[in-house]
Every structure is written in C-alpha cells, then in structure tokens.
Amino acid sequence: MNAIISASELASDSAGENPPVLLDIRWQLSTAKTTGAPAFDGRAEYEKGHIPGAVFVDLDADLAGSAGSGGRHPLPDVEHFGAVMRAAGVSADRDVVVYDGGQGWAAARAWWLLRWTGHPSVRVLDGGLAAWDGPLRTGEEHPAAEGSFVPEPNAKDLLDADAAAALARSGLLLDARAAERYRGDVEPIDRVGGHIPGAVSAPTVENVAADGTFRPAADLADRFNSLGASETSEVGVYCGSGVSGAHEVLALAVAGIPASLYVGSWSEWSSDESRPVAKGPDPQ
C-alpha cells in the first residue's frame, strides 16, 4: 500500500462502507522559548476545525516520552501509546489515515510509530489539512467504539546511537536537518552543532513541493539514489529529535526505499560529550 493518500482519495474512502480511522496530529516545533511567541496549541487548532471524524492525538504527550538523555522526543511508553490508539478507534483490521497542519512531520511521526508497532495499513494525507477542500467540523470528537490495536514493536526499523554510528560507516545514514545545522554553522536547540561522522546531509524539506505535497516518487528515488541509496544498501535516518526524520523515512517509503529511524537523533547524540562530532559539508 502507498504510504500517502491524496485528499480526493481520502474523501472517497471516507464516504465508503468502511471509512478509515482519522487521526489529527496538529503540532508545531515550539519556538516560544527563543522568540517569546505563544506556544502552539494543537488541540485548540483541532477544535477550531478538523476533517469530520478525526480524533486529536497529542504528539508531545502521546507520540513521545519525556525529554531527557534519550533526546527531546524519545519513544513513548508502548502501553500508553497502545491505549491512546485504541481510545482513538484504531484497530489492526481497519485503515488509518493521519494528518497534521500541512508540514507533514507530526503526521509522519504517527505513521512511523504505527508501522513500527505493527499496524499493516496506515497512510499520511499528502499535504495535510491544507490540501483538504472538504467540510470541516468543530469541537472534539470521539470514536463510536474503542479500537483493538495492540502494539508489537519490531527491532528492524529502529536505530540506537551505536547502530546509527555503525550504519554511517557500513551503509547510508541520512541527516534530515537543515544543511546549516548539519555543517555546524548554527545550532539553535542542541548542545553543539555538526553531524554524526559519516552521515550524509539530506534536508527533509527538499522532499516536498512548494505546496507541501511530496515530490513524485521517481524524483524522490533519483534524489536518494544520488545520495548513495541503492538496492543493496541499508539506509537509516536521523534529525534533531526523531520527528522530521520520520518524514524523511516516509519520503523514502514513497520512493520505494525502506529505511530505519534513529529516534534519539541529534538531541540524544550531542548530549553525550564522549560521542564524536563532525563539522562542515563533508560527511567525515
């Protein structure tokens, strides 16, 4: 199954006999601490207007654990995640579609977690809510019945720090952050700038068109192949805290290239002063 779904396809599926479960993951990387701007309230935005039938899921509370030595957005407690998914109506035998405000990062995090824990049919709305031209519903919604999804995590889609370091030497490790953070020119969030030695810069923003929808699969395949992906190479991705990196894993899936995610990402790696840091445009 394709990892993404268009707004027109979603409208058609939602009108069918077995509509997908819809999850609204409205989220925005907070800049309140550095700019003084008010914190983004995803639930409030959801209640102002969402795709009919969608249930709100909070990324920080439900799709990540508490920030700490494991990074800013470590894996959530699996039992908690499963309970949240069931409360939202998720079952293994029913399609799930996730969306966010349009950037796609938060929706991709939910997509990756559901795939990592064994859900067989989950897609991301391409372009997010901005691509939806159908009706919106206000207030909060709850599913008619609780779902039955039981998470069963797998090891093959997940990298820890040691595995990411090894993959940077033996395969292809992509850094999904902005190029200036990869080079170490600036670092607005973490302890130090730079990248994991051997990682290749591949900003996730280059996977989408101006309207926020994914570039065609063939274009994405060409991009990743030019960066070193091949039929025989093992591919992994990291970012700042495991959110935009999930979006890059999604882009790779659209291109037909399987990839693992280092969830702790740079926020975990850079917090440990014993780990090496490379700077500049060269991977090494």
Side-chain angles (χ1 to χ4, degrees):
M1 175 177 287
N2 197 345
I4 57 177
I5 183 172
S6 69
S8 60
E9 290 172 325
L10 176 58
S12 176
D13 287 0
S14 296
E17 295 183 358
N18 189 27
V21 173
L22 291 175
L23 304 180
D24 184 309
I25 325 289
R26 219 80 62 89
W27 178 84
Q28 182 172 297
L29 181 64
S30 176
T31 57
K33 291 182 180 179
T34 56
T35 66
F40 180 82
D41 189 337
R43 184 178 294 276
E45 292 301 312
Y46 160 84
E47 292 181 356
K48 288 178 184 177
H50 56 267
I51 298 175
V55 176
F56 179 74
V57 175
D58 189 301
L59 186 150
D60 291 312
D62 302 323
L63 305 183
S66 299
S69 60
R72 286 193 305 281
H73 292 104
L75 290 172
D77 175 82
V78 172
E79 293 301 320
H80 172 75
F81 174 70
V84 169
M85 291 298 102
R86 290 189 293 274
V90 174
S91 297
D93 61 354
R94 188 175 173 191
D95 293 351
V96 176
V97 173
V98 294
Y99 72 89
D100 56 26
Q103 190 176 36
W105 294 6
R109 172 74 175 214
W111 168 86
W112 183 87
L113 280 168
L114 281 165
R115 291 285 298 271
W116 173 64
T117 53
H119 198 286
S121 179
V122 54
R123 289 174 288 176
V124 171
L125 174 59
D126 194 16
L129 186 63
W132 177 257
D133 60 1
L136 296 178
R137 190 173 293 166
T138 59
E140 188 172 2
E141 294 197 59
H142 301 280
E146 185 171 286
S148 58
F149 178 66
V150 178
E152 296 181 2
N154 71 80
K156 68 181 181 66
D157 295 331
L158 181 66
L159 299 172
D160 60 14
D162 290 340
L167 183 57
R169 297 188 298 269
S170 65
L172 178 64
L173 181 65
L174 299 176
D175 185 316
R177 298 172 301 157
E180 59 268 24
R181 292 183 69 192
Y182 170 88
R183 295 191 301 266
D185 298 344
V186 298
E187 182 43 65
I189 306 173
D190 295 312
R191 183 185 66 83
V192 63
H195 58 271
I196 297 173
V200 174
S201 179
T204 196
V205 295
E206 296 179 16
N207 295 322
V208 296
D211 63 357
T213 59
F214 279 100
R215 292 164 55 186
D219 289 357
L220 289 172
D222 287 343
R223 181 192 186 211
F224 294 123
N225 289 338
S226 72
L227 293 171
S230 68
E231 292 182 0
T232 59
S233 63
E234 184 181 354
V235 180
V237 180
Y238 75 96
C239 58
S241 67
V243 178
S244 67
H247 190 270
E248 184 120 301
V249 174
L250 174 60
L252 283 153
V254 172
I257 301 170
S260 301
L261 178 65
Y262 172 25
V263 174
S265 287
W266 190 248
S267 59
E268 178 188 37
W269 182 277
S270 64
S271 69
D272 185 342
E273 296 185 18
S274 70
R275 294 193 184 107
V277 172
K279 296 201 175 195
D282 187 86
Q284 301 302 330

